[in-house]
Amino acid sequence: MVNIALMGCGTWGRNLLRALHQTPGARVTAVVDRAQSALAFVRSTYPEVDVEFEESVVLEDSQVTAVAIATPASDHARAVRAALKAGKHVFVEKPLAMTAAEARDLLRLAEEKRLVLMAGHTFLYNDAVRYVKRTIDSGDLGDIRYIYCQRLNLGVVRPDVNVLWNLGPHDISMLLYWLGAAPEKVAASGMCFLRPDFEDVAFIVMKFPGGIGAHVHLSWLDPKRVRSATVVGSKKMLVFDDASQEERVRIYDSGVDVQRRLKEGENWATFGEFFLKHRTGDIVTPAVPYREPLVNEMNEFVSCIRNGKQPLTSGEHAYQVVRVLEEADRHMKSGRGA
């Protein structure tokens, strides 16, 4: 059994606790939190789990193999560093850190100590997201031209980070995974409506190798809950809709084909209609089985500890996500716009 201590038992920490209890080979031995309400929840729901007020108790416990961290984002880097120095494997909720320099240092520390460092980019453990990856890699969509993502809701406003750092890690993580590369250029713009210096709405524009474009729209101030991504290829187009219960992936056999290029002396305005052909074909909704992403994620964490392997959302992947977030945030606050 892999003995795991949970640090932070707020809303998401409780989800982690539940998922870990469903993970074969994992045993949650203790929960650390300073909120009496959190400790009372653990005592009543998981009476076999110890509750602790100070994290030093579990970090100094030789029986604890790993730590799962679900504290506020601003505390992640400190908590991860403390756990790694104590010789514990670490799972931490996104983002890994609030600066790329901190994330890089944590990655190096984990490598030096030969410990698993895994970040909670849960969408990469979503079977539909993995289906999109396989479809892109198969070439069925053709050459990828651009991807745009929307993550909108009238939801919880985080007290310690802006919408970019709260919602952005999900879509940036998916884009890095789907395209297998980091962006060459990053720009962003945002607006503060509820609090000064904390953007509630953000737009990120990225350029990936091969001329692939990407756009991400994030908002805490939208009337509808939207969790979608559209992938436009030269052959087909795909829509991933995580808010849908039945049609999470749709593939459209649609596009615009270039019949031939302009010759010297030809005028596009006059002859353009003869060079382009619109194509509208079938819409396919593949059957993608659903397994809870969080449970998949915890299974991978425990498996990597047991087998000495690197997870999909490794420290390296988490560092790349933070690097993009930092660059986008810097550009957004400079006022240059996306």
Side-chain angles (χ1 to χ4, degrees):
M1 298 293 288
V2 176
N3 291 332
I4 302 174
L6 174 66
M7 294 169 55
C9 196
T11 301
W12 194 251
R14 297 179 188 189
N15 289 332
L16 280 178
L17 185 55
R18 174 185 54 78
L20 284 168
H21 270 80
Q22 298 177 32
T23 303
R27 178 191 292 118
V28 180
T29 60
V31 170
V32 181
D33 202 301
R34 294 196 170 188
Q36 290 300 325
S37 58
L39 300 182
F41 166 80
V42 176
R43 290 190 186 100
S44 63
T45 312
Y46 304 95
E48 74 281 6
V49 177
D50 292 337
V51 294
E52 301 291 348
F53 193 71
E54 296 292 344
E55 66 181 49
S56 59
V57 176
V58 297
L59 295 183
E60 294 170 3
D61 187 346
S62 61
Q63 298 302 308
V64 173
T65 305
V67 172
I69 299 170
T71 58
S74 55
D75 182 58
H76 287 180
R78 181 210 61 80
V80 171
R81 185 177 295 105
L84 290 174
K85 286 185 175 181
K88 312 299 184 187
H89 299 286
V90 176
F91 172 87
V92 59
E93 275 308 322
K94 54 81 183 170
L96 171 59
M98 297 302 293
T99 70
E102 285 181 326
R104 184 177 57 249
D105 290 344
L106 296 173
L107 171 59
R108 289 174 178 170
L109 181 58
E111 290 172 345
E112 289 171 5
K113 290 186 169 290
R114 297 183 180 181
L115 294 167
V116 173
L117 173 58
M118 179 175 174
H121 295 292
T122 312
F123 272 85
L124 270 58
Y125 298 92
N126 184 311
D127 290 322
V129 170
R130 293 192 175 190
Y131 185 93
V132 175
K133 169 67 170 174
R134 293 195 298 272
T135 303
I136 290 173
D137 290 349
S138 73
D140 191 44
L141 303 181
D143 296 329
I144 303 304
R145 291 172 168 167
Y146 73 94
I147 301 175
Y148 66 89
C149 306
Q150 293 180 298
R151 193 165 298 271
L152 322 171
N153 63 276
L154 191 64
V156 177
V157 177
R158 300 295 178 184
D160 58 337
V161 294
N162 60 23
V163 72
L164 178 70
W165 285 92
N166 177 225
L167 300 182
H170 295 305
D171 296 294
I172 292 171
S173 177
M174 286 195 301
L175 288 168
L176 297 182
Y177 172 58
W178 284 341
L179 299 177
E184 297 172 337
K185 294 182 180 179
V186 178
S189 62
M191 289 158 278
C192 307
F193 296 111
L194 303 179
R195 300 167 297 167
D197 303 322
F198 283 86
E199 289 81 5
D200 318 294
V201 181
F203 302 88
I204 313 170
V205 178
M206 290 166 277
K207 183 178 180 181
F208 283 82
I212 301 173
H215 181 274
V216 179
H217 177 197
L218 309 166
S219 177
W220 282 326
L221 296 174
D222 199 272
K224 295 193 300 180
R225 184 178 184 273
V226 180
R227 299 285 185 271
S228 69
T230 300
V231 184
V232 176
S234 59
K235 294 180 181 178
K236 297 179 182 179
M237 305 175 183
L238 180 151
V239 174
F240 162 62
D241 183 1
D242 193 56
S244 173
Q245 296 296 317
E246 298 178 351
E247 298 182 341
R248 289 183 296 148
V249 177
R250 277 190 170 192
I251 299 174
Y252 296 76
D253 187 6
S254 304
V256 180
D257 297 328
V258 178
Q259 299 300 294
R260 70 176 178 87
R261 302 293 177 183
L262 281 175
K263 296 180 180 178
E264 185 176 354
E266 289 182 325
N267 187 302
W268 178 262
T270 304
F271 297 101
E273 62 181 299
F274 299 105
F275 301 142
L276 300 179
K277 181 180 180 181
H278 287 74
R279 170 174 42 81
T280 302
D282 294 334
I283 300 173
V284 177
T285 303
V288 181
Y290 180 81
R291 298 176 299 164
E292 186 182 357
L294 188 56
V295 173
N296 294 343
E297 190 175 47
M298 292 300 96
N299 277 319
E300 171 137 320
F301 181 49
V302 172
S303 176
C304 287
I305 292 173
R306 288 173 137 184
N307 301 317
K309 296 182 179 179
Q310 285 298 313
L312 180 60
T313 55
S314 64
E316 174 62 31
H317 179 84
Y319 160 67
Q320 293 296 340
V321 172
V322 172
R323 193 172 65 82
V324 175
L325 285 168
E326 185 178 59
E327 189 172 350
D329 200 30
R330 184 186 304 115
H331 192 280
M332 181 171 65
K333 293 187 183 306
S334 73
R336 287 178 287 167

